[in-house]
Amino acid sequence: MKLSDNKATLSFSNGRPAIELPVYSGNIGPEVIDIRKLYGQTGMFTYDPGFLSTAACQSAITFIDGDKGELLYRGYPIEQLATQCDFMETCHLLLYGNLPGVADKAAFVKNVKYHTMVNEQMQFFLRGFRRDAHPMAIMTGLVGALSAFYHDSTDINNAEHREVAAIRLIAKMPTLVAMAYKYSIGQPFMYPKNDLSYAGNFLHMMFATPCEPYVVNPVIERAIDRIFTLHADHEQNASTSTVRLCGSSGTNPFAAIAAGVACLWGPAHGGANEACLQMLEEIQASGGISKVGEFMNQVKDKNSNVKLMGFGHRVYKNYDPRATLMQETCNEVLEALGLQDDPLFKLAKALEKIALEDDYFVSRKLYPNVDFYSGIVQRAIGIPVKLFTGIFALARTVGWIAQLNEMISDPEYKIGRPRQLFTGSPRRDVMAIAKR
Ligand code: SDX
């Protein structure tokens, strides 16, 4: 970051002396006011619950221009990565800062492939869960449990450990998600197959059985690979900020990523794709497109607490570019599977059209986000609704690791420890229980 010639002066109406705060600029995007000395100079904190106006770190990984609806991974537009590259190239880009050439890609893919198996003991963790346990409960447990198996890569301050842990996590997440799915349907776990692509191997572990050969559908394989790319990273979202804050204590990468899985589960974040599909199914069950008007009135009624899931975003105040690409992927998959008339896809497109013409949404700059169409395409592929967020976690793991490693390698990083505006009781003494 560069010191800007712009300065910020903070003055107070109560006569307290004004102070000058440095302003820094990055390469693109908003400048920042450096408040690190504010408390020392004024005895005051800033106040920004939800961090709407707070840059918690500097980063060179992902940039979003919310007004333009632009998403860049290390400078490359998501539209180009999702159509001209695959997820393994995107992982290399996010982790190391560049798209690999042929030889580097082959070496990276081979390294990932040779870490896809998990320790045989991992299966016994699953046996402790009910068969109907939510996959995100299982994933939160399994990812944290990985730290019990890899003592040779848990020192977050050791660059070699960070590299091995990154590959292990990227490689093993598909295996764990597929194990959670197989466990829920009572089928045997399928081991990874190294002769398949990353996406193809995931489909195989999900849908193959030991009883017969499984052929990967190339259209579905491409769609899943693109879904992974679209979900790979997204600046300092809630789960990435969780991973950074958790990792700032020096805990091992597996524990930090498990914290990210837990945060992503929430319906306001990664859980929105599951909630969005449930919303579409409920509208469909209550009458479909004819009921959309009634549903929209509920959404606009503040007291209903009903939201149009898959719509709106803290940063995008324009169309989420991932939603556009996801809709295209939806079309391709439904076409390939002969499901062009999928009623939920038609319903989603009708909802989107109505919302984008309704002042409630237009005035609040609410547009479809990545979760609006992702559920429809995953459901068409045969992925159960409850597993959608697990797949989001699988894809976001590379982003979480890249962001965690960027933080740890920053010599300026410290353990995160926000302060507060205290509104509770001033000091008071305990009274004997007989007098309370
Ligand atoms: C993801 O941060 C990321 O980058 C996340 C993510 C990533 O890749 O990591 O992009 C992934 O989490 C996408 C978002 C998925 N969540 C949903 O689709 C859930 C539905 N969306 C909303 O909950 C909401 O839009 C948020 C949480 C996404 C953003 O909320 P903000 O930025 O805190 O905005 P807000 O709640 O203050 O909303 C502003 C106004 C409010 O109305 P008013 O109080 O001004 O009258 O817009 C309304 C909100 O009620 N609003 C919605 C709405 N989203 C916002 N009203 C109806 N339906 C919605 N979906």
Side-chain angles (χ1 to χ4, degrees):
M1 66 186 183
K2 303 182 286 285
L3 188 61
S4 165
D5 50 20
N6 183 13
K7 291 267 182 290
T9 303
L10 189 56
S11 59
F12 300 92
S13 56
N14 63 1
R16 179 196 295 265
I19 63 165
E20 199 171 78
L21 295 167
V23 172
Y24 288 99
S25 49
N27 295 339
I28 41 177
E31 291 186 318
V32 297
I33 299 172
D34 183 348
I35 56 165
R36 285 176 287 187
K37 292 193 168 44
L38 179 74
Y39 179 56
Q41 289 177 350
T42 68
M44 297 168 78
F45 300 137
T46 57
Y47 183 65
D48 186 17
F51 309 119
L52 285 95
S53 301
T54 294
C57 63
Q58 52 181 307
S59 177
I61 299 173
T62 295
F63 179 77
I64 302 168
D65 183 322
D67 293 328
K68 284 200 287 189
E70 181 179 60
L71 171 58
L72 307 176
Y73 288 170
R74 299 282 190 181
Y76 293 103
I78 191 68
E79 295 82 356
Q80 294 181 25
L81 292 170
T83 52
Q84 298 174 40
C85 300
D86 67 17
F87 182 60
M88 286 288 96
E89 291 169 83
T90 301
C91 286
H92 189 284
L93 173 67
L94 290 170
L95 286 174
Y96 309 122
N98 54 50
L99 283 169
V102 172
D104 284 348
K105 178 179 176 180
F108 181 76
V109 168
K110 182 167 182 272
N111 199 9
V112 169
K113 281 188 176 185
Y114 283 89
H115 284 86
T116 47
M117 279 205 295
V118 294
N119 187 297
E120 281 290 280
Q121 292 296 104
M122 287 295 283
Q123 63 187 296
F124 301 116
F125 284 110
L126 284 126
R127 289 188 189 169
F129 290 103
R130 288 168 37 146
R131 292 277 179 179
D132 63 353
H134 195 288
M136 287 302 279
I138 296 175
M139 287 303 295
T140 305
L142 291 182
V143 176
L146 285 173
S147 53
F149 292 88
Y150 300 111
H151 300 291
D152 62 340
S153 64
T154 50
D155 176 1
I156 192 78
N157 293 303
N158 178 320
E160 282 160 27
H161 283 207
R162 289 202 299 270
E163 171 66 15
V164 170
I167 297 297
R168 278 178 166 149
L169 278 157
I170 292 166
K172 297 179 195 308
M173 284 300 272
T175 310
L176 295 177
V177 171
M179 287 173 78
Y181 172 60
K182 286 299 198 186
Y183 183 74
S184 73
I185 57 174
Q187 282 191 1
F189 302 131
M190 295 303 291
Y191 285 104
K193 277 174 64 71
N194 291 342
D195 59 343
L196 296 174
S197 71
Y198 188 88
N201 178 44
F202 175 64
L203 290 169
H204 172 265
M205 292 189 290
M206 282 283 292
F207 300 121
T209 67
C211 317
E212 54 194 31
Y214 173 82
V215 179
V216 175
N217 176 326
V219 174
I220 308 300
E221 180 180 22
R222 182 76 194 113
I224 278 286
D225 187 271
R226 183 178 294 175
I227 288 170
F228 292 163
T229 294
L230 293 177
H231 287 86
D233 195 48
H234 215 237
E235 285 192 2
Q236 306 310 316
N237 58 84
S239 54
T240 298
S241 300
T242 300
V243 169
R244 279 179 172 258
L245 191 56
C246 183
S248 73
S249 73
T251 189
N252 68 79
F254 304 103
I257 301 303
V261 173
C263 176
L264 187 74
W265 191 0
H269 190 12
N273 50 21
E274 176 181 345
C276 181
L277 200 93
Q278 281 160 355
M279 171 191 76
L280 292 171
E281 285 178 334
E282 280 162 22
I283 298 170
Q284 188 62 21
S286 68
I289 289 178
S290 64
K291 290 290 183 185
V292 165
E294 190 182 312
F295 175 76
M296 284 304 202
N297 290 335
Q298 274 189 305
V299 168
K300 293 186 274 190
D301 170 7
K302 280 289 160 218
N303 303 320
S304 74
N305 208 20
V306 171
K307 288 199 182 296
L308 180 55
M309 299 311 281
F311 252 71
H313 199 276
R314 173 63 57 75
V315 178
Y316 288 120
K317 299 309 171 192
N318 197 328
Y319 216 97
D320 181 335
R322 302 170 298 176
T324 309
L325 290 156
M326 197 63 81
Q327 192 181 132
E328 288 166 14
T329 303
C330 229
N331 271 318
E332 287 166 20
V333 168
L334 294 174
E335 190 94 20
L337 298 176
L339 299 171
Q340 298 88 324
D341 298 331
D342 180 295
L344 289 192
F345 190 43
K346 287 187 171 183
L347 176 61
K349 288 196 282 188
L351 265 173
E352 175 189 347
K353 185 173 182 313
I354 291 165
L356 296 183
E357 290 164 0
D358 184 303
D359 182 57
Y360 173 90
F361 294 88
V362 173
S363 62
R364 292 171 176 79
K365 298 186 177 179
L366 302 176
Y367 291 87
N369 59 49
V370 67
D371 294 309
F372 193 63
Y373 289 103
S374 68
I376 299 166
V377 60
Q378 293 181 77
R379 175 177 166 274
I381 290 169
I383 293 165
V385 179
K386 285 195 175 303
L387 205 69
F388 290 174
T389 310
I391 287 171
F392 193 152
L394 182 170
R396 183 54 58 89
T397 293
V398 62
W400 287 332
I401 294 166
Q403 298 272 352
L404 175 64
N405 289 351
E406 179 179 66
M407 176 188 76
I408 296 291
S409 337
D410 176 352
E412 275 196 340
Y413 108 85
K414 294 178 181 303
I415 185 169
R417 206 280 185 216
R419 303 303 297 271
Q420 62 181 11
L421 175 67
F422 183 70
T423 56
S425 166
R427 180 186 172 86
R428 55 182 171 165
D429 296 325
V430 171
M431 276 213 288
I433 190 164
K435 292 185 179 164
R436 284 179 219 158

